[in-house]
Structure formats: structure tokens, C-alpha cells
Amino acid sequence: MITDSNRSCVDCGRKACRKSEVEKYPEFCLTKNADALDLESMKKEYMEEKNQDTMQAAAKIQAETYGTITRVEETILFAKEMGYKKIGIATCTALLKESQMLTRILRNHGFQVFSACCKVGAIPKEEITIPKEHITQGPNICNPIMQAEILNREEVDLAIVMGLCVGHDILFHKYIKVPTTTLVVKDRVLAHNSVAALYTTHSFNKHLLEEDMK
């Protein structure tokens, strides 16, 4: 049962917090009910040097290019603003062509690039106890932990995720030690355009709103 005690931002949608339109805040508003000490604590976190650099770079790019450049271009500008020199790419083998083109673009803009694909190490699935009935898409595991460790060893300044599977991306983020951004979210059905499923819940994908999708 949904009550004010468990409502959150998605139950509001007014976007009043964008311009501090206090009169429009609902009773359950997270901003309205935020503790002043928490807000002060957040401000202090943003003043930490690396966090401040990230926020300043993001703000500059947003102010100067909002709605006029692609995510690839935004990533390049951000990396330059941050002074990054070496970029690591964690790619799914299914997106190697896209990652090759991204590498070509990044190198053209002066970056060093080092990549690790998901099948690196060629570890058989059975060796990490994946049951036979789940070994349907090739014999070897996707290896996000090794991808992360390779990029860590290469001392990349920034990591870019290119289409890692759900779950594998979680492990990659767990083990990577450098700032990381996602350029491609894998969606085999929708040509990696995951949000299309949300746009079509009234038609082709209305089954997503059913309690039991099976």
C-alpha cells in the first residue's frame, strides 16, 4: 500500500525543486522534509576537491552545450575539462565495432585508450559453478571483475562502460577504482535504446505493467 510515508520523487513529478517553488512541494517531499544538517553535510561533500572539479566541469558543459551535442561529445569535453589523459573502455564483445569507433574518436581527440572486453581470460562458466542449463550463450563467462582490474592496473583516468550485461555492470562498478561513466546500456531487443520500453508501455510493451510478466 502506498502512503505518504513511502512516497518519493516519482510519486510527485511536479519538479518544483528545480526552482525552489516551495509552495508546490507535496507533504511527502524529500526536499521539504530534508534535515538542515543533512543539506549542510551535502554541501561540504561537494566542496571536496575532486567532487568540486567534477561538478564544475559538468556545470560548464551543461551551460555551454545543453541540448546541442551528443553524449559522445559530452564525454570528450568532460574528460578534457577534468584533464584526463588515458581512458579505459569496458566493452561487451557484442559492441566491439562500436567500441572500436569510440576508440578511434577518442584517439583523434588526443586521448590514450586501453580496452578490455567482457570475455577476457576465457574462463569456462562451469569453473565458477554456473549450472549447465544456464550455459546457453557460449561456454565462457563475461568477466567484469577482470575487466575492472585490468583497467585499474593500466591506471586509466576514466572508465567508459560499453554495453555490459545487467549484473556484470554492477560487478564492474564494484571493482573499478576510477571515475566511471556509461555510454551504452545493453538492450538486445531495442538496439540498446532501453528507454524505448518505457515510451511504449501503452502499446507494444504494455505487458511490463502486468504483475507477472511471465
Side-chain angles (χ1 to χ4, degrees), residues 18-208:
R18 293 186 66 182
K19 298 182 179 180
S20 298
E21 297 172 310
V22 180
E23 70 282 358
K24 294 183 181 180
Y25 292 169
E27 286 304 310
F28 61 84
C29 177
L30 300 186
T31 298
K32 182 176 182 177
N33 295 301
D35 189 290
L37 292 178
D38 287 342
L39 292 176
E40 288 305 313
S41 175
M42 290 300 100
K43 292 177 186 177
K44 290 180 181 178
E45 287 296 319
Y46 285 118
M47 295 309 295
E48 191 274 328
E49 184 177 1
K50 290 184 178 179
N51 294 342
Q52 181 68 190
D53 290 345
T54 298
M55 293 298 287
Q56 292 290 349
K60 180 179 180 180
I61 293 168
Q62 184 182 49
E64 295 178 353
T65 68
Y66 193 81
T68 64
I69 63 174
T70 66
R71 180 60 177 252
V72 171
E73 292 168 295
E74 285 185 0
T75 302
I76 290 170
L77 289 179
F78 180 80
K80 288 183 176 180
E81 284 293 328
M82 294 297 290
Y84 296 150
K85 303 297 183 184
K86 190 172 184 178
I87 297 178
I89 298 176
T91 182
C92 172
T93 53
L95 278 93
L96 270 176
K97 288 185 178 180
E98 292 84 349
S99 293
Q100 288 169 343
M101 180 53 69
L102 176 62
T103 296
R104 181 178 173 184
I105 292 170
L106 292 173
R107 285 174 175 165
N108 188 53
H109 284 269
F111 296 103
Q112 298 176 54
V113 182
F114 197 91
S115 63
C117 78
C118 62
K119 296 299 181 180
V120 64
I123 298 175
K125 293 177 180 178
E126 59 188 17
E127 290 188 7
I128 64 164
T129 70
I130 291 178
K132 288 184 179 181
E133 61 267 26
H134 294 161
I135 303 177
T136 59
Q137 302 300 318
N140 295 333
I141 66 166
C142 291
N143 196 352
I145 296 177
M146 190 169 183
Q147 285 178 287
E149 293 298 345
I150 287 172
L151 297 186
N152 288 334
R153 289 200 299 267
E154 284 295 320
E155 298 183 336
V156 300
D157 300 310
L158 173 72
I160 297 177
V161 173
M162 290 287 287
L164 300 188
C165 298
V166 174
H168 300 154
D169 58 350
I170 293 172
L171 285 176
F172 179 81
H173 283 285
K174 180 178 180 179
Y175 285 89
I176 192 70
K177 296 178 181 178
V178 300
T180 302
T181 188
T182 298
L183 187 62
V184 179
V185 176
K186 179 183 288 174
D187 193 314
R188 300 174 182 88
V189 174
L190 296 172
H192 313 307
N193 180 24
S194 308
V195 75
L198 308 181
Y199 294 147
T200 56
T201 51
H202 64 288
S203 54
F204 302 111
N205 287 296
K206 59 185 178 182
H207 65 282
L208 292 172

